[in-house]
Each structure stands twice: as C-alpha cells, then as structure tokens.
Amino acid sequence: EAGVAQSPRYKIIEKRQSVAFWCNPISGHATLYWYQQILGQGPKLLIQFQNNGVVDDSQLPKDRFSAERLKGVDSTLKIQPAKLEDSAVYLCASSPTTSGADTQYFGPGTRLTVL
Amino acid sequence: AQKVTQAQTEISVVEKEDVTLDCVYETRDTTYYLFWYKQPPSGELVFLIRRNSFDEQNEISGRYSWNFQKSTSSFNFTITASQVVDSAVYFCALKRSNTGKLIFGQGTTLQVKP
C-alpha cells in the first residue's frame, strides 16, 4: 500500500513570495492533516479535513495560509506572502476517519526555507 | 488543557546500551490515546505504537517496550540493546477521543554511537 505522498521535498523562496505544497493521502483515508514543524519542536496542527470539509483550522494563520481539498482526496497548502518565521517542515498526514483511536500516517514532509 | 512533556532533549548512548525515553502528559479526559513516533534524519514521522487510556498493559515489540502508568501520567519508551539505526528524534503524542489532533511533545534526540 502506498504511503502519504508530498511534493516538493524542498523549497527555498524569498520573503513575501508565495509557495504551495501538495499532498496525496493513503488511498481510502477520509481525514487529512497539515502540520507545521519548526526546527527543534514537535509538529503543530495547522488544519484538518474530513473528506473535503474543514474540521479544525483554529491554528492556521488565515491572513497568509490557505488550504483546500476540493475533491476529498489530495490537498494543497499555500502560503502568501511568506515570512521568515514560516521556515519549517510541512508535514501531511492521513487517517481512515476522525476517530481519536485512528493512527495518523505521515508523509516525508516539505522543508521550506524563507530567505 | 492537553500537554505532553519530554524532558530529555538529547540522549547519547553507546551501542548495545539500554535507553529509556520519558514522556509525561496532562489531560482531564478519561478517554484518550497516546502515541510514539520516530523521526529519522530523512524527516518522515514513523508510527511506533498507539495505546488507549483504558489499556495499561505494557507492550513489547522486539527490542522496543513501552510502560504506561496512568497514576503518574507517564508513557515511557525503552530500547533494549540499542543500535546505531535507532538514532533519531522520538516524539510522544496525545490525542483526545473526539478529535484527530495530535499534541506532540518537544521530542528527544537519541544518538547511538558505535
């Protein structure tokens, strides 16, 4: 079974530019998550989708971050405009449902550097 | 509030030594789930174990074992006879029963030297 796919793996941009990350979850997983992991810290949830609906986006900086999962499968996370503090690894994860009992499986992440 | 604390920032051992990674959590929920993930240098978070709050049985999987104690709100992870390939950052995480959100600790960097 294929795991969670993410692209690109690395991205370097100048501040105030925009950037987009793509994620394809494990087949059949209804729930998709985006986490931000700043160097030396644990991942922090940015947004959670159930199919194509948003379940939790309370920690998403909505003035610059946006995300969508239009067809309930793959998802895109966008940052516009980027700030220096957005430098981090962006991890996508998926699980079968939103149940607390479900395990989340993570992709390889996208490492973003903002100069 | 939900919180996970991994007090050990970095641990260094020599191969074949046993090592224990500590995890202490805070929650007022009666039903919750605890997880351990491994993050090797490649960056991907690899799932190791899930434990629900009603199951305090210790678990052993090969060289890995986990000790869950609700009385002390701890979920510690022991690697027996460590190997160089065990070098990674290890994260403990907490999840409420009615939400998908994982709350991670700061992580413990384990270095196993040959």
Side-chain angles (χ1 to χ4, degrees), chain A residues 81-100:
Chain A
K83 292 185 175 182
L84 295 177
E85 58 260 37
D86 298 331
S87 293
V89 176
Y90 291 85
L91 294 162
C92 180
S94 71
S95 64
T97 72
T98 57
S99 167

Side-chain angles (χ1 to χ4, degrees), chain A residues 37 59 100-104, chain B residues 37 39 50 95 97 100-102:
Chain A
Q37 185 180 17
Q59 300 207 70
D102 278 355
T103 295
Q104 291 177 27
Chain B
Y37 284 87
Q39 189 172 43
R50 180 188 75 215
K95 185 158 45 141
S97 63
K101 176 180 176 180
L102 277 168

Side-chain angles (χ1 to χ4, degrees), chain A residues 9 33 35 37 40-43 45 48 56 58-59 91 98-108, chain B residues 33 35 37 39 41-45 47 50 91 95-107:
Chain A
R9 290 296 312 278
Y33 311 81
Y35 287 83
Q37 185 180 17
Q41 299 182 17
L45 180 71
Q48 174 186 342
D56 182 355
S58 57
Q59 300 207 70
L91 294 162
T98 57
S99 167
D102 278 355
T103 295
Q104 291 177 27
Y105 296 93
F106 286 79
Chain B
Y33 299 86
F35 298 78
Y37 284 87
Q39 189 172 43
S42 60
E44 184 168 347
L45 278 166
F47 166 72
R50 180 188 75 215
F91 288 97
K95 185 158 45 141
R96 307 179 76 175
S97 63
N98 60 349
T99 176
K101 176 180 176 180
L102 277 168
I103 299 161
F104 285 88
Q106 295 284 81

Side-chain angles (χ1 to χ4, degrees), chain A residues 47-63:
Chain A
I47 189 167
Q48 174 186 342
F49 291 96
Q50 171 73 8
N51 296 312
N52 60 353
V54 175
V55 174
D56 182 355
D57 63 356
S58 57
Q59 300 207 70
L60 187 74
K62 298 181 186 64
D63 57 333

Side-chain angles (χ1 to χ4, degrees), chain B residues 21-108:
Chain B
L21 309 181
D22 297 334
C23 172
V24 174
Y25 62 92
E26 296 176 29
T27 180
R28 294 182 179 177
D29 294 350
T30 54
T31 302
Y32 52 89
Y33 299 86
L34 296 165
F35 298 78
W36 276 95
Y37 284 87
K38 174 182 180 181
Q39 189 172 43
S42 60
E44 184 168 347
L45 278 166
V46 178
F47 166 72
L48 296 177
I49 190 170
R50 180 188 75 215
R51 175 64 78 226
N52 74 52
S53 55
F54 295 107
D55 183 3
E56 286 194 72
Q57 279 191 340
N58 291 332
E59 174 122 359
I60 299 175
S61 176
R63 296 183 297 106
Y64 295 172
S65 63
W66 290 269
N67 180 260
F68 175 32
Q69 291 195 336
K70 285 181 75 171
S71 60
T72 56
S73 297
S74 65
F75 186 42
N76 297 335
F77 173 30
T78 297
I79 302 174
T80 303
S82 60
Q83 300 177 0
V84 173
V85 294
D86 295 328
S87 296
V89 182
Y90 291 86
F91 288 97
C92 180
L94 168 69
K95 185 158 45 141
R96 307 179 76 175
S97 63
N98 60 349
T99 176
K101 176 180 176 180
L102 277 168
I103 299 161
F104 285 88
Q106 295 284 81
T108 297

